[in-house]
């Protein structure tokens, strides 16, 4: 992978667009911020072009690609953005990627922020950091899979399996927000794992009409640093953590790996994490009342020093291979860990976008589309001849 390539990036929020450029995993210029104009397609697209043009004007060479996160629904491989609740301008679908390719003459890669957050943390963040710590601790255990969770305005997720980003056939590879809401089966999980969830529960528990207190303010009330209903504030984070833990448990049941959490609400870790881990560690009971673990492995809090120490130490043992007497060392503690972002959410997304572009550019260099089509035709002829 050629690390010297220059990639233009974009942090696309509903209010502002923040443009930058990355080379060798470092920003090359001061970011440029322009209003998103999410209500007006013409203005929105004009600012997208203007923002990238402003970054290009600061570079001493032509960039190699554009890569950024944008909300879905979308067909990310084709660069087509669908109807977005926070971007009314995109009603009916917009071929954003192809438009930018036509405008700048370079490849454009788009994905969602959950995917790119997970990818950044898998390649440059918590996954390599944990494996380095395991090696330093003398453990033979290593992790290859990562679940990235973003909690803020919405509830996002990305999954990286052995270095490969899971996208899915419909660009919907890790839609955790649509997992079941354990508090209300008529809702999806995002209704209890989001900024509005904390706001709603606080208002309900405090006997107030819904008001615009942000999670950070409700956190301060819970910590008795701001006037308000402390019990209601604590309850809002308790319910948030319980819902979050249940959704993560569902994903961990299918994807066996580490979990990293980012996004604005992750700042309230000390309030919601105990309830998140309680949900992850709950027991099941069968019809006879027999008890079993919810997950097939122990989940550790990587932000807790004592738990992190146990997680890293594990239990490495040697067993003898029957008939040969050969010895094999392995760690017989099945476990996973949940921790906070080590890169910072925005930085992880940008690094994920950068790495994603490098991989795609490398793939295109190795297998140009025209050669792929010819190769497919040749393979088809060979198979037809073999079939006789």
């Amino acid at each position: 992978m050629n690390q010297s390539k220059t990639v233009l990036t974009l942090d696309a929020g509903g209010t502002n667009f923040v443009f930058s450029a990355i080379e060798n995993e470092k920003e090359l210029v001061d970011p440029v911020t322009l209003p998103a104009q999410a209500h007006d397609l013409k203005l929105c697209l004009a600012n997208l072009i203007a923002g990238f043009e402003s970054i290009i004007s600061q570079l001493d060479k032509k960039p190699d690609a554009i890569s950024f996160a944008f909300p879905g629904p979308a067909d990310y491989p084709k660069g087509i953005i669908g109807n977005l609740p926070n971007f009314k301008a995109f009603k009916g679908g917009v071929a954003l990627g192809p438009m930018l390719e036509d405008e700048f003459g370079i490849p454009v890669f788009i994905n969602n922020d959950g995917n790119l957050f997970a990818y950044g943390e898998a390649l440059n963040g918590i996954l390599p950091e944990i494996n380095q710590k395991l090696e330093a601790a003398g453990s033979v255990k290593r992790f290859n899979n990562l679940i990235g969770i973003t909690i803020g305005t919405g509830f996002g997720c990305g999954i990286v399996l052995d270095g490969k980003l899971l996208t899915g056939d419909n660009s919907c590879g890790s839609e955790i927000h649509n997992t079941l809401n354990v508090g209300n089966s008529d809702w999806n999980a995002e209704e209890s794992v989001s900024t509005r969830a904390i706001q709603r529960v606080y208002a309900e528990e405090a006997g107030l009409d819904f008001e615009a207190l942000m999670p950070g303010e409700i956190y301060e009330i819970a910590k008795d640093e701001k006037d308000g209903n402390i019990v209601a504030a604590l309850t809002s984070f308790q319910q948030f953590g319980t819902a979050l833990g249940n959704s993560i448990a569902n994903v961990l049941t299918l994807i066996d790996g580490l979990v990293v959490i980012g996004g604005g609400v992750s700042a309230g870790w000390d309030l919601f994490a105990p309830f998140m881990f309680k949900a992850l560690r709950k027991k099941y009971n069968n019809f006879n009342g027999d008890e079993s673990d919810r997950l097939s492995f122990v989940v550790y809090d990587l932000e807790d020093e004592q738990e992190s120490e146990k997680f890293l130490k594990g239990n490495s043992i040697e067993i003898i291979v029957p008939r040969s007497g050969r010895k094999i060392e392995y760690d017989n503690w099945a476990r996973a860990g949940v921790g906070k972002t080590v890169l910072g959410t925005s930085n992880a997304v940008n690094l994920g976008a950068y790495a994603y572009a490098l991989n795609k550019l490398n793939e295109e260099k190795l297998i140009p589309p025209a050669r792929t089509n010819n190769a497919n035709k040749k393979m088809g002829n060979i198979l037809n001849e073999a079939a006789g």
Side-chain angles (χ1 to χ4, degrees):
M1 188 183 299
N2 187 350
Q3 293 283 333
S4 65
K5 291 188 177 296
T6 301
V7 177
L8 305 182
T9 63
L10 164 66
D11 182 357
T15 303
N16 290 314
F17 289 151
V18 183
F19 303 84
S20 190
I22 296 178
E23 184 175 295
N24 294 318
E25 299 178 354
K26 295 181 180 179
E27 279 194 328
L28 297 178
V29 298
D30 291 331
V32 171
T33 301
L34 293 175
Q37 303 287 6
H39 63 288
D40 186 305
L41 182 60
K42 185 177 180 179
L43 294 176
C44 181
L45 297 181
N47 275 3
L48 280 167
I49 292 170
F52 285 125
E53 285 179 339
S54 178
I55 295 297
I56 291 172
S57 70
Q58 300 179 58
L59 302 175
D60 57 8
K61 65 176 181 178
K62 181 179 179 179
D64 297 284
I66 294 172
S67 183
F68 60 92
F70 211 84
D75 182 335
Y76 290 118
K78 290 185 177 295
I80 298 173
I81 307 301
N83 295 326
L84 304 180
N86 295 327
F87 279 81
K88 301 299 183 184
F90 284 75
K91 185 177 181 181
V94 176
L96 181 59
M99 182 204 76
L100 292 172
E101 287 181 342
D102 291 346
E103 189 72 27
F104 295 103
I106 54 178
V108 176
F109 307 107
I110 308 176
N111 219 302
N112 70 49
D113 58 352
N115 283 346
L116 296 181
F117 168 72
Y119 203 43
E121 287 284 349
L123 297 180
N124 297 289
I126 195 170
L127 188 61
E129 179 179 279
I130 288 297
N131 283 331
Q132 289 167 9
K133 288 181 177 180
L134 285 165
E135 182 178 9
S139 173
V140 297
K141 181 77 171 179
R142 297 293 184 273
F143 287 85
N144 300 300
N145 306 314
L146 184 72
I147 301 164
I149 302 292
T150 55
I151 47 178
T153 303
F155 184 21
C157 181
I159 295 169
V160 181
L161 302 174
D162 200 17
K164 184 173 178 60
L165 181 64
L166 174 66
T167 55
D169 292 328
N170 298 291
S171 298
C172 299
S174 47
E175 300 286 272
I176 195 172
H177 69 279
N178 273 333
T179 52
L180 183 67
N181 188 311
V182 293
N184 185 330
S185 61
D186 291 330
W187 294 350
N188 68 6
E190 187 172 278
E191 290 303 318
S192 291
V193 188
S194 57
T195 293
R196 66 183 181 275
I198 293 175
Q199 294 172 310
R200 172 182 55 78
V201 174
Y202 178 77
E204 289 173 352
E205 294 295 317
L208 303 171
D209 292 332
F210 187 90
E211 53 186 63
L213 282 178
M214 295 302 291
E217 296 173 294
I218 297 171
Y219 176 87
E220 291 175 350
I221 292 171
K223 303 290 283 187
D224 199 18
E225 297 170 356
K226 179 182 176 70
D227 290 339
N229 189 317
I230 294 177
V231 173
L234 290 170
T235 301
S236 69
F237 281 96
Q238 175 183 342
Q239 291 190 19
F240 179 96
T242 299
L244 174 61
N246 276 283
S247 288
I248 292 175
N250 289 335
V251 180
L252 273 174
T253 301
L254 301 176
I255 307 298
D256 177 6
L258 294 178
V259 179
V260 60
I261 297 177
V265 183
S266 63
W269 176 277
D270 59 323
L271 295 185
F272 70 74
F275 302 99
M276 174 183 71
F277 284 106
K278 184 178 180 180
L280 287 167
R281 296 163 179 168
K282 73 169 287 185
K283 304 286 185 178
Y284 284 140
N285 291 287
N286 67 11
F287 71 98
N288 285 324
D290 298 326
E291 197 173 68
S292 62
D293 293 325
R294 180 172 191 172
L295 294 170
S296 301
F297 41 79
V298 179
V299 180
Y300 287 88
D301 179 354
L302 299 179
E303 301 302 313
D304 180 276
E305 186 175 348
Q306 292 183 335
E307 286 201 28
S308 181
E309 186 177 339
K310 290 179 183 178
F311 171 87
L312 294 172
K313 182 179 180 181
N315 190 47
S316 294
I317 63 173
E318 280 189 342
I319 60 173
I320 298 175
V321 179
R323 299 175 66 88
S324 73
R326 183 163 58 92
K327 294 181 179 180
I328 294 179
E329 185 180 9
Y330 85 113
D331 190 320
N332 67 356
W333 277 12
R335 61 194 185 275
V338 182
K340 293 193 292 185
T341 173
V342 301
L343 295 173
T345 307
S346 181
N347 189 36
V349 171
N350 280 338
L351 289 176
Y354 179 69
Y356 187 73
L358 294 189
N359 281 331
K360 286 296 183 182
L361 290 170
N362 194 47
E363 288 174 8
E364 291 180 1
K365 183 177 180 181
L366 292 175
I367 313 175
R371 290 182 59 190
T372 301
N373 292 336
N374 291 335
N376 288 340
K377 289 178 182 178
K378 290 179 181 179
M379 181 58 70
N381 292 335
I382 292 171
L383 291 175
N384 288 335
E385 290 175 6

